[in-house]
Amino acid sequence: LPPHLRWIEVDLPNIISYKEKVLSEATPVCTLERITTNLTDDSERKGLFRRLCLQGTNILVITEGVIGYMTNDEAKNLSIDLFDASSIRYWIMDYAQGKLRKRKQTKDLRKKLKNTPIKFNCADPISFFANDGWRVCENHYILDEAGKIGRKLPYMFPWTILMKIFPKKLTEMANKTYGYVMFEK
């Protein structure tokens, strides 16, 4: 990252505390600021966006691993507030869509995360957020991107065997399910 870049991490107090503890000896290469805010709290979120918009004019927001822990209404409110914030121009988020997002491993993960359950439930999150005015600028599919950097699918029987037999078909299915989208206004 370039040294002049201003990187702001926003999360709940316990997560920011944990990051600061674990990364206490790491030196960031850019300007780093960590802010504790509950993005599901309307007044906290709106106040944060107002402050950030006074400090920047070309803001990119990344919500990796955030939307899944929000209810559909909370995610919609976040989307609307991001769109309404004058200096926020782009938004990158990860997504799971379609029928495969409800596979057995996802259900098992939900059981393990009972204290922080996956709440967002939308078969087509890209359209869900496009309804708030966002336009897809880029859409990157997870297996295509993993292939570009030489990452393989983790060993999960029977997926590993099926990928050897039907690599193109399963890659297409997975790519329709998981990815990263960059929205713009």
PDB file of all heavy atoms in Angstrom, residues 102-139:
ATOM      1  N   LYS A 102     -26.472 -22.397   0.856  1.00  0.00           N
ATOM      2  CA  LYS A 102     -27.110 -23.056   2.000  1.00  0.00           C
ATOM      3  C   LYS A 102     -26.653 -24.503   2.146  1.00  0.00           C
ATOM      4  O   LYS A 102     -27.356 -25.310   2.719  1.00  0.00           O
ATOM      5  CB  LYS A 102     -28.629 -22.999   1.840  1.00  0.00           C
ATOM      6  CG  LYS A 102     -29.175 -21.604   1.955  1.00  0.00           C
ATOM      7  CD  LYS A 102     -30.672 -21.622   2.053  1.00  0.00           C
ATOM      8  CE  LYS A 102     -31.168 -20.228   2.338  1.00  0.00           C
ATOM      9  NZ  LYS A 102     -32.575 -20.205   2.640  1.00  0.00           N
ATOM     10  N   ARG A 103     -25.463 -24.814   1.661  1.00  0.00           N
ATOM     11  CA  ARG A 103     -24.989 -26.198   1.719  1.00  0.00           C
ATOM     12  C   ARG A 103     -24.696 -26.627   3.164  1.00  0.00           C
ATOM     13  O   ARG A 103     -24.705 -25.800   4.068  1.00  0.00           O
ATOM     14  CB  ARG A 103     -23.759 -26.373   0.840  1.00  0.00           C
ATOM     15  CG  ARG A 103     -22.537 -25.668   1.344  1.00  0.00           C
ATOM     16  CD  ARG A 103     -21.422 -25.752   0.320  1.00  0.00           C
ATOM     17  NE  ARG A 103     -20.137 -25.606   0.921  1.00  0.00           N
ATOM     18  CZ  ARG A 103     -19.624 -24.486   1.388  1.00  0.00           C
ATOM     19  NH1 ARG A 103     -20.316 -23.380   1.351  1.00  0.00           N
ATOM     20  NH2 ARG A 103     -18.423 -24.466   1.920  1.00  0.00           N
ATOM     21  N   LYS A 104     -24.407 -27.887   3.356  1.00  0.00           N
ATOM     22  CA  LYS A 104     -24.215 -28.456   4.695  1.00  0.00           C
ATOM     23  C   LYS A 104     -23.105 -27.739   5.478  1.00  0.00           C
ATOM     24  O   LYS A 104     -23.259 -27.456   6.655  1.00  0.00           O
ATOM     25  CB  LYS A 104     -23.897 -29.950   4.592  1.00  0.00           C
ATOM     26  CG  LYS A 104     -23.758 -30.609   5.957  1.00  0.00           C
ATOM     27  CD  LYS A 104     -23.341 -32.049   5.818  1.00  0.00           C
ATOM     28  CE  LYS A 104     -23.184 -32.757   7.141  1.00  0.00           C
ATOM     29  NZ  LYS A 104     -22.442 -32.095   8.159  1.00  0.00           N
ATOM     30  N   GLN A 105     -21.977 -27.421   4.816  1.00  0.00           N
ATOM     31  CA  GLN A 105     -20.876 -26.771   5.530  1.00  0.00           C
ATOM     32  C   GLN A 105     -21.314 -25.416   6.091  1.00  0.00           C
ATOM     33  O   GLN A 105     -20.891 -25.025   7.169  1.00  0.00           O
ATOM     34  CB  GLN A 105     -19.651 -26.582   4.611  1.00  0.00           C
ATOM     35  CG  GLN A 105     -18.941 -27.867   4.283  1.00  0.00           C
ATOM     36  CD  GLN A 105     -19.533 -28.561   3.054  1.00  0.00           C
ATOM     37  OE1 GLN A 105     -20.587 -28.197   2.554  1.00  0.00           O
ATOM     38  NE2 GLN A 105     -18.852 -29.580   2.583  1.00  0.00           N
ATOM     39  N   THR A 106     -22.152 -24.697   5.364  1.00  0.00           N
ATOM     40  CA  THR A 106     -22.648 -23.410   5.842  1.00  0.00           C
ATOM     41  C   THR A 106     -23.530 -23.607   7.065  1.00  0.00           C
ATOM     42  O   THR A 106     -23.440 -22.864   8.033  1.00  0.00           O
ATOM     43  CB  THR A 106     -23.430 -22.682   4.725  1.00  0.00           C
ATOM     44  OG1 THR A 106     -22.572 -22.551   3.595  1.00  0.00           O
ATOM     45  CG2 THR A 106     -23.894 -21.323   5.172  1.00  0.00           C
ATOM     46  N   LYS A 107     -24.371 -24.639   7.045  1.00  0.00           N
ATOM     47  CA  LYS A 107     -25.224 -24.928   8.202  1.00  0.00           C
ATOM     48  C   LYS A 107     -24.371 -25.309   9.409  1.00  0.00           C
ATOM     49  O   LYS A 107     -24.650 -24.891  10.532  1.00  0.00           O
ATOM     50  CB  LYS A 107     -26.213 -26.037   7.859  1.00  0.00           C
ATOM     51  CG  LYS A 107     -27.280 -25.586   6.874  1.00  0.00           C
ATOM     52  CD  LYS A 107     -28.199 -26.727   6.479  1.00  0.00           C
ATOM     53  CE  LYS A 107     -29.150 -26.261   5.378  1.00  0.00           C
ATOM     54  NZ  LYS A 107     -29.864 -27.343   4.767  1.00  0.00           N
ATOM     55  N   ASP A 108     -23.302 -26.092   9.180  1.00  0.00           N
ATOM     56  CA  ASP A 108     -22.393 -26.462  10.266  1.00  0.00           C
ATOM     57  C   ASP A 108     -21.705 -25.222  10.834  1.00  0.00           C
ATOM     58  O   ASP A 108     -21.554 -25.087  12.052  1.00  0.00           O
ATOM     59  CB  ASP A 108     -21.339 -27.464   9.787  1.00  0.00           C
ATOM     60  CG  ASP A 108     -21.925 -28.838   9.469  1.00  0.00           C
ATOM     61  OD1 ASP A 108     -23.082 -29.103   9.887  1.00  0.00           O
ATOM     62  OD2 ASP A 108     -21.238 -29.642   8.807  1.00  0.00           O
ATOM     63  N   LEU A 109     -21.282 -24.313   9.941  1.00  0.00           N
ATOM     64  CA  LEU A 109     -20.631 -23.082  10.382  1.00  0.00           C
ATOM     65  C   LEU A 109     -21.594 -22.251  11.231  1.00  0.00           C
ATOM     66  O   LEU A 109     -21.213 -21.713  12.259  1.00  0.00           O
ATOM     67  CB  LEU A 109     -20.151 -22.273   9.172  1.00  0.00           C
ATOM     68  CG  LEU A 109     -19.492 -20.934   9.475  1.00  0.00           C
ATOM     69  CD1 LEU A 109     -18.218 -21.126  10.287  1.00  0.00           C
ATOM     70  CD2 LEU A 109     -19.196 -20.180   8.186  1.00  0.00           C
ATOM     71  N   ARG A 110     -22.852 -22.178  10.824  1.00  0.00           N
ATOM     72  CA  ARG A 110     -23.845 -21.430  11.599  1.00  0.00           C
ATOM     73  C   ARG A 110     -23.980 -21.990  13.017  1.00  0.00           C
ATOM     74  O   ARG A 110     -24.136 -21.244  13.972  1.00  0.00           O
ATOM     75  CB  ARG A 110     -25.202 -21.441  10.899  1.00  0.00           C
ATOM     76  CG  ARG A 110     -25.253 -20.561   9.682  1.00  0.00           C
ATOM     77  CD  ARG A 110     -26.593 -20.702   8.979  1.00  0.00           C
ATOM     78  NE  ARG A 110     -26.542 -20.127   7.666  1.00  0.00           N
ATOM     79  CZ  ARG A 110     -27.180 -19.027   7.314  1.00  0.00           C
ATOM     80  NH1 ARG A 110     -27.929 -18.401   8.161  1.00  0.00           N
ATOM     81  NH2 ARG A 110     -27.075 -18.569   6.087  1.00  0.00           N
ATOM     82  N   LYS A 111     -23.919 -23.320  13.146  1.00  0.00           N
ATOM     83  CA  LYS A 111     -24.008 -23.939  14.482  1.00  0.00           C
ATOM     84  C   LYS A 111     -22.804 -23.553  15.338  1.00  0.00           C
ATOM     85  O   LYS A 111     -22.927 -23.266  16.516  1.00  0.00           O
ATOM     86  CB  LYS A 111     -24.083 -25.461  14.363  1.00  0.00           C
ATOM     87  CG  LYS A 111     -25.422 -25.959  13.862  1.00  0.00           C
ATOM     88  CD  LYS A 111     -25.398 -27.466  13.739  1.00  0.00           C
ATOM     89  CE  LYS A 111     -26.608 -27.971  12.980  1.00  0.00           C
ATOM     90  NZ  LYS A 111     -26.509 -29.387  12.668  1.00  0.00           N
ATOM     91  N   LYS A 112     -21.605 -23.553  14.726  1.00  0.00           N
ATOM     92  CA  LYS A 112     -20.382 -23.212  15.463  1.00  0.00           C
ATOM     93  C   LYS A 112     -20.371 -21.744  15.876  1.00  0.00           C
ATOM     94  O   LYS A 112     -19.750 -21.383  16.868  1.00  0.00           O
ATOM     95  CB  LYS A 112     -19.148 -23.515  14.600  1.00  0.00           C
ATOM     96  CG  LYS A 112     -18.908 -24.989  14.426  1.00  0.00           C
ATOM     97  CD  LYS A 112     -17.723 -25.240  13.506  1.00  0.00           C
ATOM     98  CE  LYS A 112     -17.604 -26.711  13.212  1.00  0.00           C
ATOM     99  NZ  LYS A 112     -16.607 -27.016  12.204  1.00  0.00           N
ATOM    100  N   LEU A 113     -21.015 -20.893  15.098  1.00  0.00           N
ATOM    101  CA  LEU A 113     -21.023 -19.460  15.362  1.00  0.00           C
ATOM    102  C   LEU A 113     -22.290 -19.005  16.076  1.00  0.00           C
ATOM    103  O   LEU A 113     -22.780 -17.918  15.825  1.00  0.00           O
ATOM    104  CB  LEU A 113     -20.872 -18.684  14.045  1.00  0.00           C
ATOM    105  CG  LEU A 113     -19.580 -18.860  13.282  1.00  0.00           C
ATOM    106  CD1 LEU A 113     -19.656 -18.146  11.945  1.00  0.00           C
ATOM    107  CD2 LEU A 113     -18.402 -18.352  14.085  1.00  0.00           C
ATOM    108  N   LYS A 114     -22.797 -19.824  16.997  1.00  0.00           N
ATOM    109  CA  LYS A 114     -24.075 -19.483  17.617  1.00  0.00           C
ATOM    110  C   LYS A 114     -24.031 -18.160  18.372  1.00  0.00           C
ATOM    111  O   LYS A 114     -25.040 -17.504  18.521  1.00  0.00           O
ATOM    112  CB  LYS A 114     -24.596 -20.614  18.487  1.00  0.00           C
ATOM    113  CG  LYS A 114     -23.681 -21.089  19.558  1.00  0.00           C
ATOM    114  CD  LYS A 114     -24.272 -22.293  20.257  1.00  0.00           C
ATOM    115  CE  LYS A 114     -23.112 -23.109  20.796  1.00  0.00           C
ATOM    116  NZ  LYS A 114     -23.482 -24.389  21.230  1.00  0.00           N
ATOM    117  N   ASN A 115     -22.851 -17.724  18.858  1.00  0.00           N
ATOM    118  CA  ASN A 115     -22.757 -16.428  19.525  1.00  0.00           C
ATOM    119  C   ASN A 115     -22.686 -15.272  18.527  1.00  0.00           C
ATOM    120  O   ASN A 115     -22.925 -14.135  18.888  1.00  0.00           O
ATOM    121  CB  ASN A 115     -21.548 -16.384  20.458  1.00  0.00           C
ATOM    122  CG  ASN A 115     -21.732 -17.310  21.632  1.00  0.00           C
ATOM    123  OD1 ASN A 115     -22.860 -17.602  22.027  1.00  0.00           O
ATOM    124  ND2 ASN A 115     -20.654 -17.794  22.189  1.00  0.00           N
ATOM    125  N   THR A 116     -22.296 -15.553  17.301  1.00  0.00           N
ATOM    126  CA  THR A 116     -22.259 -14.549  16.237  1.00  0.00           C
ATOM    127  C   THR A 116     -22.841 -15.174  14.973  1.00  0.00           C
ATOM    128  O   THR A 116     -22.133 -15.494  14.030  1.00  0.00           O
ATOM    129  CB  THR A 116     -20.821 -14.073  15.967  1.00  0.00           C
ATOM    130  OG1 THR A 116     -19.997 -15.209  15.734  1.00  0.00           O
ATOM    131  CG2 THR A 116     -20.269 -13.249  17.074  1.00  0.00           C
ATOM    132  N   PRO A 117     -24.142 -15.365  14.968  1.00  0.00           N
ATOM    133  CA  PRO A 117     -24.767 -16.100  13.863  1.00  0.00           C
ATOM    134  C   PRO A 117     -24.781 -15.330  12.549  1.00  0.00           C
ATOM    135  O   PRO A 117     -24.804 -14.108  12.527  1.00  0.00           O
ATOM    136  CB  PRO A 117     -26.200 -16.327  14.364  1.00  0.00           C
ATOM    137  CG  PRO A 117     -26.444 -15.181  15.292  1.00  0.00           C
ATOM    138  CD  PRO A 117     -25.114 -14.893  15.943  1.00  0.00           C
ATOM    139  N   ILE A 118     -24.760 -16.092  11.467  1.00  0.00           N
ATOM    140  CA  ILE A 118     -24.945 -15.540  10.134  1.00  0.00           C
ATOM    141  C   ILE A 118     -26.436 -15.185  10.016  1.00  0.00           C
ATOM    142  O   ILE A 118     -27.290 -16.045  10.191  1.00  0.00           O
ATOM    143  CB  ILE A 118     -24.566 -16.571   9.039  1.00  0.00           C
ATOM    144  CG1 ILE A 118     -23.140 -17.103   9.230  1.00  0.00           C
ATOM    145  CG2 ILE A 118     -24.779 -15.994   7.650  1.00  0.00           C
ATOM    146  CD1 ILE A 118     -22.040 -16.135   8.932  1.00  0.00           C
ATOM    147  N   LYS A 119     -26.735 -13.920   9.764  1.00  0.00           N
ATOM    148  CA  LYS A 119     -28.123 -13.465   9.746  1.00  0.00           C
ATOM    149  C   LYS A 119     -28.606 -13.091   8.347  1.00  0.00           C
ATOM    150  O   LYS A 119     -29.774 -13.259   8.043  1.00  0.00           O
ATOM    151  CB  LYS A 119     -28.279 -12.233  10.652  1.00  0.00           C
ATOM    152  CG  LYS A 119     -27.948 -12.473  12.104  1.00  0.00           C
ATOM    153  CD  LYS A 119     -28.036 -11.162  12.856  1.00  0.00           C
ATOM    154  CE  LYS A 119     -27.534 -11.286  14.272  1.00  0.00           C
ATOM    155  NZ  LYS A 119     -27.464  -9.974  14.923  1.00  0.00           N
ATOM    156  N   PHE A 120     -27.717 -12.532   7.534  1.00  0.00           N
ATOM    157  CA  PHE A 120     -28.136 -12.042   6.222  1.00  0.00           C
ATOM    158  C   PHE A 120     -28.591 -13.220   5.379  1.00  0.00           C
ATOM    159  O   PHE A 120     -27.884 -14.211   5.232  1.00  0.00           O
ATOM    160  CB  PHE A 120     -26.978 -11.309   5.536  1.00  0.00           C
ATOM    161  CG  PHE A 120     -27.371 -10.639   4.256  1.00  0.00           C
ATOM    162  CD1 PHE A 120     -28.160  -9.505   4.272  1.00  0.00           C
ATOM    163  CD2 PHE A 120     -26.961 -11.139   3.043  1.00  0.00           C
ATOM    164  CE1 PHE A 120     -28.528  -8.874   3.090  1.00  0.00           C
ATOM    165  CE2 PHE A 120     -27.317 -10.520   1.857  1.00  0.00           C
ATOM    166  CZ  PHE A 120     -28.101  -9.383   1.881  1.00  0.00           C
ATOM    167  N   ASN A 121     -29.793 -13.118   4.841  1.00  0.00           N
ATOM    168  CA  ASN A 121     -30.362 -14.229   4.089  1.00  0.00           C
ATOM    169  C   ASN A 121     -31.018 -13.683   2.825  1.00  0.00           C
ATOM    170  O   ASN A 121     -32.162 -13.238   2.851  1.00  0.00           O
ATOM    171  CB  ASN A 121     -31.381 -14.981   4.940  1.00  0.00           C
ATOM    172  CG  ASN A 121     -31.873 -16.227   4.241  1.00  0.00           C
ATOM    173  OD1 ASN A 121     -31.268 -16.703   3.280  1.00  0.00           O
ATOM    174  ND2 ASN A 121     -32.979 -16.757   4.705  1.00  0.00           N
ATOM    175  N   CYS A 122     -30.246 -13.702   1.755  1.00  0.00           N
ATOM    176  CA  CYS A 122     -30.737 -13.165   0.492  1.00  0.00           C
ATOM    177  C   CYS A 122     -30.132 -13.991  -0.635  1.00  0.00           C
ATOM    178  O   CYS A 122     -28.910 -14.135  -0.712  1.00  0.00           O
ATOM    179  CB  CYS A 122     -30.321 -11.705   0.373  1.00  0.00           C
ATOM    180  SG  CYS A 122     -30.765 -10.974  -1.190  1.00  0.00           S
ATOM    181  N   ALA A 123     -30.969 -14.547  -1.485  1.00  0.00           N
ATOM    182  CA  ALA A 123     -30.479 -15.393  -2.576  1.00  0.00           C
ATOM    183  C   ALA A 123     -29.707 -14.600  -3.626  1.00  0.00           C
ATOM    184  O   ALA A 123     -28.847 -15.144  -4.300  1.00  0.00           O
ATOM    185  CB  ALA A 123     -31.646 -16.130  -3.234  1.00  0.00           C
ATOM    186  N   ASP A 124     -29.971 -13.293  -3.752  1.00  0.00           N
ATOM    187  CA  ASP A 124     -29.301 -12.477  -4.772  1.00  0.00           C
ATOM    188  C   ASP A 124     -28.873 -11.140  -4.153  1.00  0.00           C
ATOM    189  O   ASP A 124     -29.504 -10.109  -4.367  1.00  0.00           O
ATOM    190  CB  ASP A 124     -30.249 -12.254  -5.962  1.00  0.00           C
ATOM    191  CG  ASP A 124     -29.592 -11.528  -7.118  1.00  0.00           C
ATOM    192  OD1 ASP A 124     -28.396 -11.182  -7.024  1.00  0.00           O
ATOM    193  OD2 ASP A 124     -30.287 -11.291  -8.118  1.00  0.00           O
ATOM    194  N   PRO A 125     -27.769 -11.153  -3.380  1.00  0.00           N
ATOM    195  CA  PRO A 125     -27.362  -9.928  -2.693  1.00  0.00           C
ATOM    196  C   PRO A 125     -26.957  -8.801  -3.636  1.00  0.00           C
ATOM    197  O   PRO A 125     -27.127  -7.628  -3.302  1.00  0.00           O
ATOM    198  CB  PRO A 125     -26.185 -10.362  -1.817  1.00  0.00           C
ATOM    199  CG  PRO A 125     -25.744 -11.656  -2.365  1.00  0.00           C
ATOM    200  CD  PRO A 125     -26.905 -12.279  -3.050  1.00  0.00           C
ATOM    201  N   ILE A 126     -26.460  -9.117  -4.820  1.00  0.00           N
ATOM    202  CA  ILE A 126     -26.060  -8.054  -5.747  1.00  0.00           C
ATOM    203  C   ILE A 126     -27.285  -7.231  -6.147  1.00  0.00           C
ATOM    204  O   ILE A 126     -27.261  -6.002  -6.107  1.00  0.00           O
ATOM    205  CB  ILE A 126     -25.308  -8.636  -6.956  1.00  0.00           C
ATOM    206  CG1 ILE A 126     -23.973  -9.241  -6.483  1.00  0.00           C
ATOM    207  CG2 ILE A 126     -25.077  -7.576  -8.016  1.00  0.00           C
ATOM    208  CD1 ILE A 126     -23.193  -9.979  -7.534  1.00  0.00           C
ATOM    209  N   SER A 127     -28.364  -7.898  -6.502  1.00  0.00           N
ATOM    210  CA  SER A 127     -29.598  -7.181  -6.838  1.00  0.00           C
ATOM    211  C   SER A 127     -30.187  -6.479  -5.614  1.00  0.00           C
ATOM    212  O   SER A 127     -30.728  -5.375  -5.714  1.00  0.00           O
ATOM    213  CB  SER A 127     -30.647  -8.139  -7.411  1.00  0.00           C
ATOM    214  OG  SER A 127     -30.223  -8.620  -8.655  1.00  0.00           O
ATOM    215  N   PHE A 128     -30.066  -7.127  -4.459  1.00  0.00           N
ATOM    216  CA  PHE A 128     -30.564  -6.557  -3.202  1.00  0.00           C
ATOM    217  C   PHE A 128     -29.981  -5.159  -2.992  1.00  0.00           C
ATOM    218  O   PHE A 128     -30.692  -4.218  -2.676  1.00  0.00           O
ATOM    219  CB  PHE A 128     -30.187  -7.494  -2.047  1.00  0.00           C
ATOM    220  CG  PHE A 128     -30.642  -7.056  -0.684  1.00  0.00           C
ATOM    221  CD1 PHE A 128     -31.895  -7.409  -0.208  1.00  0.00           C
ATOM    222  CD2 PHE A 128     -29.804  -6.325   0.144  1.00  0.00           C
ATOM    223  CE1 PHE A 128     -32.316  -7.029   1.056  1.00  0.00           C
ATOM    224  CE2 PHE A 128     -30.213  -5.941   1.412  1.00  0.00           C
ATOM    225  CZ  PHE A 128     -31.470  -6.291   1.872  1.00  0.00           C
ATOM    226  N   PHE A 129     -28.656  -5.026  -3.182  1.00  0.00           N
ATOM    227  CA  PHE A 129     -28.005  -3.736  -2.956  1.00  0.00           C
ATOM    228  C   PHE A 129     -28.107  -2.815  -4.170  1.00  0.00           C
ATOM    229  O   PHE A 129     -28.093  -1.597  -4.028  1.00  0.00           O
ATOM    230  CB  PHE A 129     -26.559  -3.935  -2.511  1.00  0.00           C
ATOM    231  CG  PHE A 129     -26.464  -4.622  -1.184  1.00  0.00           C
ATOM    232  CD1 PHE A 129     -25.957  -5.901  -1.083  1.00  0.00           C
ATOM    233  CD2 PHE A 129     -26.917  -4.001  -0.034  1.00  0.00           C
ATOM    234  CE1 PHE A 129     -25.893  -6.552   0.140  1.00  0.00           C
ATOM    235  CE2 PHE A 129     -26.865  -4.641   1.201  1.00  0.00           C
ATOM    236  CZ  PHE A 129     -26.347  -5.920   1.286  1.00  0.00           C
ATOM    237  N   ALA A 130     -28.244  -3.379  -5.358  1.00  0.00           N
ATOM    238  CA  ALA A 130     -28.443  -2.549  -6.553  1.00  0.00           C
ATOM    239  C   ALA A 130     -29.750  -1.776  -6.445  1.00  0.00           C
ATOM    240  O   ALA A 130     -29.859  -0.662  -6.979  1.00  0.00           O
ATOM    241  CB  ALA A 130     -28.423  -3.422  -7.807  1.00  0.00           C
ATOM    242  N   ASN A 131     -30.716  -2.316  -5.736  1.00  0.00           N
ATOM    243  CA  ASN A 131     -31.993  -1.619  -5.533  1.00  0.00           C
ATOM    244  C   ASN A 131     -31.828  -0.318  -4.749  1.00  0.00           C
ATOM    245  O   ASN A 131     -32.703   0.539  -4.777  1.00  0.00           O
ATOM    246  CB  ASN A 131     -33.000  -2.522  -4.812  1.00  0.00           C
ATOM    247  CG  ASN A 131     -33.507  -3.624  -5.711  1.00  0.00           C
ATOM    248  OD1 ASN A 131     -33.538  -3.487  -6.922  1.00  0.00           O
ATOM    249  ND2 ASN A 131     -33.891  -4.739  -5.111  1.00  0.00           N
ATOM    250  N   ASP A 132     -30.700  -0.173  -4.059  1.00  0.00           N
ATOM    251  CA  ASP A 132     -30.428   1.056  -3.302  1.00  0.00           C
ATOM    252  C   ASP A 132     -29.690   2.083  -4.151  1.00  0.00           C
ATOM    253  O   ASP A 132     -29.321   3.145  -3.656  1.00  0.00           O
ATOM    254  CB  ASP A 132     -29.603   0.737  -2.045  1.00  0.00           C
ATOM    255  CG  ASP A 132     -30.339  -0.199  -1.106  1.00  0.00           C
ATOM    256  OD1 ASP A 132     -31.591  -0.145  -1.074  1.00  0.00           O
ATOM    257  OD2 ASP A 132     -29.675  -1.000  -0.422  1.00  0.00           O
ATOM    258  N   GLY A 133     -29.444   1.756  -5.428  1.00  0.00           N
ATOM    259  CA  GLY A 133     -28.784   2.702  -6.331  1.00  0.00           C
ATOM    260  C   GLY A 133     -27.392   2.284  -6.764  1.00  0.00           C
ATOM    261  O   GLY A 133     -26.820   2.870  -7.677  1.00  0.00           O
ATOM    262  N   TRP A 134     -26.813   1.282  -6.106  1.00  0.00           N
ATOM    263  CA  TRP A 134     -25.461   0.843  -6.442  1.00  0.00           C
ATOM    264  C   TRP A 134     -25.440   0.158  -7.809  1.00  0.00           C
ATOM    265  O   TRP A 134     -26.353  -0.561  -8.166  1.00  0.00           O
ATOM    266  CB  TRP A 134     -24.931  -0.121  -5.377  1.00  0.00           C
ATOM    267  CG  TRP A 134     -24.686   0.539  -4.068  1.00  0.00           C
ATOM    268  CD1 TRP A 134     -25.487   0.479  -2.957  1.00  0.00           C
ATOM    269  CD2 TRP A 134     -23.598   1.380  -3.725  1.00  0.00           C
ATOM    270  NE1 TRP A 134     -24.956   1.221  -1.951  1.00  0.00           N
ATOM    271  CE2 TRP A 134     -23.786   1.791  -2.398  1.00  0.00           C
ATOM    272  CE3 TRP A 134     -22.474   1.828  -4.418  1.00  0.00           C
ATOM    273  CZ2 TRP A 134     -22.891   2.626  -1.741  1.00  0.00           C
ATOM    274  CZ3 TRP A 134     -21.581   2.664  -3.762  1.00  0.00           C
ATOM    275  CH2 TRP A 134     -21.798   3.050  -2.436  1.00  0.00           C
ATOM    276  N   ARG A 135     -24.353   0.384  -8.542  1.00  0.00           N
ATOM    277  CA  ARG A 135     -24.144  -0.250  -9.846  1.00  0.00           C
ATOM    278  C   ARG A 135     -22.889  -1.117  -9.763  1.00  0.00           C
ATOM    279  O   ARG A 135     -21.886  -0.703  -9.173  1.00  0.00           O
ATOM    280  CB  ARG A 135     -23.952   0.832 -10.908  1.00  0.00           C
ATOM    281  CG  ARG A 135     -23.823   0.320 -12.324  1.00  0.00           C
ATOM    282  CD  ARG A 135     -23.676   1.455 -13.318  1.00  0.00           C
ATOM    283  NE  ARG A 135     -22.380   2.098 -13.283  1.00  0.00           N
ATOM    284  CZ  ARG A 135     -21.274   1.611 -13.855  1.00  0.00           C
ATOM    285  NH1 ARG A 135     -21.303   0.473 -14.492  1.00  0.00           N
ATOM    286  NH2 ARG A 135     -20.144   2.276 -13.774  1.00  0.00           N
ATOM    287  N   VAL A 136     -22.954  -2.316 -10.325  1.00  0.00           N
ATOM    288  CA  VAL A 136     -21.797  -3.214 -10.299  1.00  0.00           C
ATOM    289  C   VAL A 136     -20.716  -2.655 -11.217  1.00  0.00           C
ATOM    290  O   VAL A 136     -20.938  -2.445 -12.404  1.00  0.00           O
ATOM    291  CB  VAL A 136     -22.179  -4.646 -10.734  1.00  0.00           C
ATOM    292  CG1 VAL A 136     -20.938  -5.525 -10.832  1.00  0.00           C
ATOM    293  CG2 VAL A 136     -23.185  -5.244  -9.771  1.00  0.00           C
ATOM    294  N   CYS A 137     -19.567  -2.414 -10.645  1.00  0.00           N
ATOM    295  CA  CYS A 137     -18.404  -1.924 -11.387  1.00  0.00           C
ATOM    296  C   CYS A 137     -17.527  -3.121 -11.780  1.00  0.00           C
ATOM    297  O   CYS A 137     -17.070  -3.224 -12.910  1.00  0.00           O
ATOM    298  CB  CYS A 137     -17.641  -0.954 -10.499  1.00  0.00           C
ATOM    299  SG  CYS A 137     -16.175  -0.248 -11.204  1.00  0.00           S
ATOM    300  N   GLU A 138     -17.303  -4.028 -10.819  1.00  0.00           N
ATOM    301  CA  GLU A 138     -16.540  -5.255 -11.053  1.00  0.00           C
ATOM    302  C   GLU A 138     -17.146  -6.368 -10.217  1.00  0.00           C
ATOM    303  O   GLU A 138     -17.625  -6.120  -9.118  1.00  0.00           O
ATOM    304  CB  GLU A 138     -15.069  -5.092 -10.648  1.00  0.00           C
ATOM    305  CG  GLU A 138     -14.298  -4.105 -11.471  1.00  0.00           C
ATOM    306  CD  GLU A 138     -12.834  -4.023 -11.060  1.00  0.00           C
ATOM    307  OE1 GLU A 138     -12.270  -5.036 -10.606  1.00  0.00           O
ATOM    308  OE2 GLU A 138     -12.268  -2.924 -11.189  1.00  0.00           O
ATOM    309  N   ASN A 139     -17.075  -7.592 -10.739  1.00  0.00           N
ATOM    310  CA  ASN A 139     -17.549  -8.762 -10.013  1.00  0.00           C
ATOM    311  C   ASN A 139     -16.511  -9.858 -10.212  1.00  0.00           C
ATOM    312  O   ASN A 139     -16.263 -10.265 -11.343  1.00  0.00           O
ATOM    313  CB  ASN A 139     -18.924  -9.196 -10.534  1.00  0.00           C
ATOM    314  CG  ASN A 139     -19.574 -10.252  -9.663  1.00  0.00           C
ATOM    315  OD1 ASN A 139     -19.041 -10.631  -8.627  1.00  0.00           O
ATOM    316  ND2 ASN A 139     -20.712 -10.744 -10.084  1.00  0.00           N
TER     317      ASN A 139
END
